[in-house]
Structure formats: structure tokens, C-alpha cells
Amino acid sequence: MLRWLRSQGGCCWMCGLPIAYGAQAGDPLAFECDELVPVSRGGSPYDRENVAPAHRICNNWRGDKPVGRVLSVRSRVLARFGQWSTPQQFVTFAKALDGGRAPSAASAPRVTTDW
């Protein structure tokens, strides 16, 4: 399953950003296979419909949160802070809106048209 999912080369299903597929295991930006419905809750690790690519940092933040809650938090992060530029930034904002303090305005993503 890992080999198949890696071959798809998809973005992280949580933050939507590209994954560093060449990163070493343990790196926050490394690829992990996330079970959408964990095996402990009846999901199958062998069902291709039940797995999605994720960054290690995003997967760690998710823990056992249901998919719907992750998507809800992502929508709230986008509405409150705008688009994030790194998985680390997404997780910081997600933690803030999912039971923590909101980050300061200085740490919010800067929206610009500067190219």
C-alpha cells in the first residue's frame, strides 16, 4: 500500500501542499500513509479508498481526529488566516483553532500580489 500510495505522488490531504517524498522517515515534511478511518475504528489498511498521503507533521497533528473534523478545521484556518505556505504553518494555525490560543497577527500569512 505504501509503495502504491507513494507512486501516486499526491499532495497532503490535510494541508494540500506537496510532500517531500525523498525526505527521510521522521522528517516533519516526509510522506506518511494516513488511514482515513483508523484500523482501530474498523478501517482497512489494505483498502485504497481508506488511505491518503500526508506529511508526518500533519498526520501527527491529526492523531485520531475524524476526517470531517480535519476538513472543518482546515476550512476555518483558511477563513481566518488565508492560505498557509508550509505544512508547519498549517499545523500551527490548526492547533490554534482546534483548542488552543490563536497565533498573533504577525504570524498570520501575508497576502500579497508582489511577484
Side-chain angles (χ1 to χ4, degrees), residues 21-110:
Y21 282 93
Q24 294 293 320
D27 184 304
L29 302 179
F31 160 74
E32 287 192 350
C33 178
D34 186 28
E35 297 163 352
L36 301 176
V37 177
V39 172
S40 63
R41 294 194 176 171
S44 170
Y46 306 111
D47 179 359
R48 289 183 177 180
E49 297 295 317
N50 189 45
V51 295
H55 293 107
R56 177 178 175 80
I57 191 170
C58 295
N59 201 16
N60 187 44
W61 163 74
R62 178 189 179 204
D64 66 350
K65 293 174 185 67
V67 169
R69 183 165 161 199
V70 172
L71 297 176
S72 173
V73 170
R74 184 173 71 185
S75 290
R76 292 183 357 229
V77 167
L78 188 58
R80 172 102 185 252
F81 300 107
Q83 184 61 49
W84 47 90
S85 58
T86 67
Q88 295 93 327
Q89 190 178 47
F90 168 74
V91 168
T92 297
F93 293 154
K95 284 180 179 180
L97 294 182
D98 195 38
R101 280 184 343 132
S104 69
S107 64
R110 199 177 113 219

